[in-house]
Amino acid sequence: ALTFAQKVVVMYDGRVVQMGTPEELFETPAHTFVGYFIGSPGMNLFDADVTGTEAKLGKVSVPLGAAYGPTSGRTQIGIRPDYVTISDQGHPVAVKRVEDVGRHRILRAEFQGQALNAILPEGMTLPADPRVAFAPGKINVYANDWRVQPNSWVMGKSQSPKPWRMPMDRVTMAAPQASTWNMDSFRGFVCIRSNVAILAVFRRYTGDRYTAP
Protein backbone atom coordinates (compact mmCIF):
# COMPACT_ATOMS: atom_id res chain seq x y z
CA ALA A 1 0.00 0.00 0.00
CA LEU A 2 2.70 2.49 0.97
CA THR A 3 4.73 1.51 -2.09
CA PHE A 4 2.10 2.13 -4.78
CA ALA A 5 -0.34 4.65 -3.33
CA GLN A 6 0.04 8.42 -3.38
CA LYS A 7 -2.60 8.76 -0.66
CA VAL A 8 -3.38 6.35 2.15
CA VAL A 9 -6.63 6.16 4.11
CA VAL A 10 -6.38 4.48 7.50
CA MET A 11 -9.59 3.22 9.07
CA TYR A 12 -9.82 2.02 12.64
CA ASP A 13 -12.81 0.53 14.38
CA GLY A 14 -15.16 1.60 11.60
CA ARG A 15 -14.02 5.20 11.14
CA VAL A 16 -11.41 7.04 9.10
CA VAL A 17 -8.66 8.26 11.43
CA GLN A 18 -6.31 9.72 8.82
CA MET A 19 -5.86 10.26 5.09
CA GLY A 20 -2.54 11.48 3.72
CA THR A 21 0.72 10.63 2.01
CA PRO A 22 2.91 7.85 3.42
CA GLU A 23 5.26 10.55 4.72
CA GLU A 24 2.44 12.35 6.54
CA LEU A 25 1.29 9.10 8.17
CA PHE A 26 4.84 8.37 9.28
CA GLU A 27 5.85 11.83 10.45
CA THR A 28 2.60 13.22 11.87
CA PRO A 29 0.16 10.41 12.70
CA ALA A 30 -3.23 11.96 13.43
CA HIS A 31 -4.12 9.16 15.86
CA THR A 32 -2.03 7.00 18.17
CA PHE A 33 -3.21 3.91 16.32
CA VAL A 34 -1.73 5.24 13.07
CA GLY A 35 1.52 5.90 14.91
CA TYR A 36 1.66 2.34 16.13
CA PHE A 37 0.33 0.67 12.97
CA ILE A 38 2.62 2.37 10.44
CA GLY A 39 6.22 1.28 10.86
CA SER A 40 7.94 -1.58 12.64
CA PRO A 41 8.46 -1.08 15.46
CA GLY A 42 5.68 1.47 15.80
CA MET A 43 5.81 4.88 17.41
CA ASN A 44 6.86 5.11 21.05
CA LEU A 45 4.03 6.53 23.16
CA PHE A 46 4.62 7.91 26.64
CA ASP A 47 2.13 9.24 29.16
CA ALA A 48 3.26 12.77 29.94
CA ASP A 49 2.30 16.17 31.28
CA VAL A 50 2.77 18.77 28.56
CA THR A 51 3.32 22.42 29.43
CA GLY A 52 4.44 24.87 26.78
CA THR A 53 7.62 23.55 25.18
CA GLU A 54 8.30 20.73 27.64
CA ALA A 55 6.87 17.33 28.46
CA LYS A 56 7.23 15.86 31.91
CA LEU A 57 7.82 12.09 31.96
CA GLY A 58 8.17 10.87 35.49
CA LYS A 59 11.17 12.69 36.94
CA VAL A 60 12.59 14.06 33.69
CA SER A 61 11.65 16.89 31.33
CA VAL A 62 11.80 16.36 27.57
CA PRO A 63 12.07 19.44 25.31
CA LEU A 64 9.49 19.65 22.53
CA GLY A 65 9.98 21.14 19.09
CA ALA A 66 6.90 23.33 19.51
CA ALA A 67 4.82 25.17 22.09
CA TYR A 68 1.51 23.61 23.14
CA GLY A 69 -1.49 24.95 24.98
CA PRO A 70 -3.31 23.15 27.81
CA THR A 71 -4.51 19.62 27.02
CA SER A 72 -7.36 17.64 28.54
CA GLY A 73 -7.80 13.92 29.06
CA ARG A 74 -4.98 11.43 28.64
CA THR A 75 -1.92 13.22 27.28
CA GLN A 76 0.91 11.38 25.53
CA ILE A 77 3.94 12.23 23.47
CA GLY A 78 4.93 10.11 20.48
CA ILE A 79 8.38 9.64 18.96
CA ARG A 80 9.44 7.27 16.21
CA PRO A 81 12.23 4.79 17.10
CA ASP A 82 14.14 6.33 14.16
CA TYR A 83 14.39 9.63 16.04
CA VAL A 84 15.55 8.19 19.35
CA THR A 85 19.29 8.54 19.94
CA ILE A 86 21.17 6.20 22.25
CA SER A 87 24.55 7.49 23.38
CA ASP A 88 26.43 8.50 26.55
CA GLN A 89 24.47 11.77 26.79
CA GLY A 90 20.87 12.38 27.79
CA HIS A 91 18.57 10.65 30.26
CA PRO A 92 19.31 7.23 31.82
CA VAL A 93 17.59 4.28 30.15
CA ALA A 94 17.34 0.65 31.23
CA VAL A 95 18.23 -1.63 28.30
CA LYS A 96 16.28 -4.90 28.18
CA ARG A 97 17.62 -6.46 24.99
CA VAL A 98 18.84 -5.75 21.46
CA GLU A 99 17.29 -7.49 18.46
CA ASP A 100 19.22 -7.85 15.20
CA VAL A 101 16.78 -7.71 12.28
CA GLY A 102 19.36 -7.55 9.49
CA ARG A 103 19.60 -4.00 8.16
CA HIS A 104 19.53 -2.52 11.65
CA ARG A 105 19.08 -3.44 15.30
CA ILE A 106 16.18 -2.65 17.59
CA LEU A 107 16.88 -1.70 21.18
CA ARG A 108 14.14 -2.61 23.66
CA ALA A 109 14.39 -0.63 26.85
CA GLU A 110 12.52 1.04 29.69
CA PHE A 111 12.42 4.79 30.13
CA GLN A 112 10.82 6.30 33.21
CA GLY A 113 8.83 3.12 33.75
CA GLN A 114 7.53 2.98 30.15
CA ALA A 115 8.55 0.81 27.19
CA LEU A 116 10.97 2.37 24.69
CA ASN A 117 12.14 1.19 21.27
CA ALA A 118 15.05 2.68 19.36
CA ILE A 119 16.67 1.95 16.00
CA LEU A 120 20.41 1.43 16.35
CA PRO A 121 22.67 2.15 13.37
CA GLU A 122 24.52 -0.81 11.93
CA GLY A 123 27.84 -1.36 13.70
CA MET A 124 27.01 0.88 16.66
CA THR A 125 28.43 -0.19 20.03
CA LEU A 126 26.30 0.53 23.06
CA PRO A 127 28.02 2.74 25.66
CA ALA A 128 28.66 1.33 29.12
CA ASP A 129 26.11 3.75 30.57
CA PRO A 130 23.51 4.15 27.80
CA ARG A 131 21.37 7.26 27.78
CA VAL A 132 18.54 8.42 25.56
CA ALA A 133 17.66 11.66 23.77
CA PHE A 134 14.78 12.53 21.46
CA ALA A 135 14.82 14.76 18.37
CA PRO A 136 12.54 17.61 19.62
CA GLY A 137 11.20 18.46 16.17
CA LYS A 138 10.00 14.88 15.68
CA ILE A 139 7.88 14.63 18.83
CA ASN A 140 4.09 14.62 18.45
CA VAL A 141 1.64 15.37 21.27
CA TYR A 142 -1.64 13.50 21.68
CA ALA A 143 -4.72 14.09 23.83
CA ASN A 144 -7.15 11.18 24.11
CA ASP A 145 -5.32 9.49 21.20
CA TRP A 146 -5.70 12.42 18.76
CA ARG A 147 -2.78 14.58 17.67
CA VAL A 148 -2.66 18.09 19.13
CA GLN A 149 -1.69 20.92 16.80
CA PRO A 150 1.17 23.03 18.22
CA ASN A 151 0.71 26.74 18.84
CA SER A 152 4.11 27.57 17.34
CA TRP A 153 7.28 25.78 16.26
CA VAL A 154 10.48 26.08 18.25
CA MET A 155 12.65 23.83 16.08
CA GLY A 156 11.82 23.06 12.47
CA LYS A 157 11.47 19.40 11.57
CA SER A 158 14.06 19.88 8.84
CA GLN A 159 16.64 20.35 11.59
CA SER A 160 16.29 16.77 12.77
CA PRO A 161 19.56 14.82 12.28
CA LYS A 162 17.73 11.83 10.78
CA PRO A 163 15.74 12.29 7.54
CA TRP A 164 12.42 10.52 7.01
CA ARG A 165 12.46 7.17 5.32
CA MET A 166 10.17 4.16 5.05
CA PRO A 167 12.33 1.05 4.60
CA MET A 168 10.33 -1.67 2.88
CA ASP A 169 11.46 -4.27 5.42
CA ARG A 170 9.63 -2.27 8.09
CA VAL A 171 6.24 -2.01 6.37
CA THR A 172 4.13 -4.25 8.57
CA MET A 173 0.76 -4.04 6.84
CA ALA A 174 1.68 -4.99 3.27
CA ALA A 175 -0.87 -7.30 1.67
CA PRO A 176 -1.99 -8.38 -1.83
CA GLN A 177 -4.27 -5.96 -3.64
CA ALA A 178 -7.87 -5.96 -2.42
CA SER A 179 -7.25 -8.88 -0.07
CA THR A 180 -8.00 -9.66 3.54
CA TRP A 181 -5.30 -10.19 6.14
CA ASN A 182 -4.85 -11.15 9.76
CA MET A 183 -1.77 -9.88 11.66
CA ASP A 184 -1.77 -10.82 15.34
CA SER A 185 -5.20 -9.60 16.50
CA PHE A 186 -5.79 -7.27 13.55
CA ARG A 187 -8.45 -8.07 10.98
CA GLY A 188 -9.06 -5.90 7.96
CA PHE A 189 -8.23 -5.34 4.32
CA VAL A 190 -6.01 -3.34 2.01
CA CYS A 191 -7.47 -2.06 -1.24
CA ILE A 192 -5.50 0.02 -3.76
CA ARG A 193 -7.56 1.98 -6.29
CA SER A 194 -6.69 5.11 -8.26
CA ASN A 195 -3.43 5.54 -6.33
CA VAL A 196 -5.30 5.64 -3.01
CA ALA A 197 -4.75 2.84 -0.52
CA ILE A 198 -7.36 2.08 2.11
CA LEU A 199 -6.15 0.30 5.23
CA ALA A 200 -9.12 -0.82 7.30
CA VAL A 201 -9.06 -2.43 10.73
CA PHE A 202 -12.24 -4.15 11.84
CA ARG A 203 -11.27 -5.46 15.24
CA ARG A 204 -9.53 -3.77 18.11
CA TYR A 205 -6.03 -4.89 18.94
CA THR A 206 -5.86 -5.81 22.60
CA GLY A 207 -2.26 -7.02 22.91
CA ASP A 208 0.40 -5.36 25.03
CA ARG A 209 1.67 -3.16 22.17
CA TYR A 210 -1.47 -1.12 21.51
CA THR A 211 -4.54 -0.97 23.72
CA ALA A 212 -7.57 0.80 22.35
CA PRO A 213 -9.33 3.31 24.61
Side-chain angles (χ1 to χ4, degrees), residues 64-86:
L64 304 174
Y68 292 85
T71 58
S72 60
R74 184 184 184 184
T75 302
Q76 298 172 289
I77 63 170
I79 181 77
R80 291 285 182 189
D82 305 66
Y83 305 129
V84 176
T85 300
I86 302 296

Side-chain angles (χ1 to χ4, degrees), residues 25-194:
L25 269 60
F26 187 84
E27 294 284 358
T28 54
H31 191 275
T32 55
F33 174 75
V34 180
Y36 167 75
F37 191 52
I38 302 295
S40 178
M43 174 177 280
N44 293 295
L45 292 167
F46 304 103
D47 291 327
D49 294 321
V50 174
T51 303
T53 59
E54 287 189 338
K56 188 77 172 180
L57 280 72
K59 299 179 180 180
V60 305
S61 293
V62 174
L64 304 174
Y68 292 85
T71 58
S72 60
R74 184 184 184 184
T75 302
Q76 298 172 289
I77 63 170
I79 181 77
R80 291 285 182 189
D82 305 66
Y83 305 129
V84 176
T85 300
I86 302 296
S87 66
D88 57 359
Q89 299 181 14
H91 301 292
V93 62
V95 176
K96 300 298 183 181
R97 65 184 184 275
V98 176
E99 302 173 2
D100 193 334
V101 294
R103 294 179 58 183
H104 56 261
R105 293 180 298 161
I106 302 174
L107 179 139
R108 311 285 187 179
E110 185 176 292
F111 178 58
Q112 294 297 305
Q114 303 184 65
L116 168 73
N117 296 320
I119 300 298
L120 300 179
E122 185 176 358
M124 174 186 172
T125 301
L126 283 177
D129 181 23
R131 292 175 175 266
V132 64
F134 303 148
K138 296 296 184 178
I139 297 176
N140 291 284
V141 174
Y142 297 90
N144 292 327
D145 292 310
W146 292 97
R147 183 173 180 268
V148 178
Q149 289 288 346
N151 291 338
S152 60
W153 287 105
V154 176
M155 177 183 293
K157 290 190 175 183
S158 61
Q159 293 178 265
S160 172
K162 298 179 181 179
W164 176 84
R165 67 187 187 281
M166 177 56 76
M168 288 302 102
D169 64 345
R170 295 181 52 210
V171 177
T172 61
M173 73 298 291
Q177 180 171 333
S179 67
T180 60
W181 48 265
N182 181 3
M183 183 182 71
D184 295 334
S185 292
F186 288 114
R187 286 188 183 276
F189 70 86
V190 176
C191 180
I192 302 176
R193 183 179 180 86
S194 300

